[in-house]
Amino acid sequence: MNVAQINNPEESETLGEINLTEASDVAGIVERAARARKGWTARPVAERAQILDSAATSLESRQAELGRLLAMESGKPLGQSEFEVGGGIHFCIGAPL
């Protein structure tokens, strides 16, 4: 499997590695995602809302940490990165169910 390094663009420091998906795996991944969506939409709305609320709570408790990581890997200013993480939190709260 091919991997890509995640680097801090300001300091040229390697932060980690991620596995790259092979083109031959994409169709199976899309199929699994479609099945997962069917399972998601079959859940009652209240259950989906609870899952998203839990995700928002988890992200919120780690917002500063996630903001720092995003800033390090993207080279963006810390404030902008924390704002983007906040956007993910607000998406979970207001996501269409």
Side-chain angles (χ1 to χ4, degrees):
M1 175 168 282
N2 292 325
V3 297
Q5 289 186 338
I6 305 299
N7 298 313
N8 180 331
E10 286 188 7
E11 300 175 14
S12 299
E13 166 192 13
T14 299
L15 303 172
E17 293 181 342
I18 58 169
N19 293 326
L20 299 176
T21 301
E22 300 293 333
S24 59
D25 295 333
V26 172
I29 292 167
V30 170
E31 165 119 6
R32 288 191 297 280
R35 284 196 310 267
R37 184 177 189 283
K38 287 180 184 177
W40 174 254
T41 58
R43 292 176 183 261
V45 171
E47 184 179 347
R48 288 183 273 166
Q50 175 59 40
I51 291 167
L52 290 171
D53 187 57
S54 178
T57 299
S58 178
L59 288 170
E60 193 169 37
S61 72
R62 300 179 62 202
Q63 184 170 0
E65 172 192 2
L66 294 170
R68 280 191 306 277
L69 287 171
L70 181 57
M72 286 171 42
E73 76 173 19
S74 67
K76 294 177 183 179
L78 180 59
Q80 181 181 353
S81 296
E82 288 175 341
F83 181 80
E84 288 184 21
V85 173
I89 294 166
H90 289 290
F91 176 81
C92 290
I93 294 169
L97 302 174

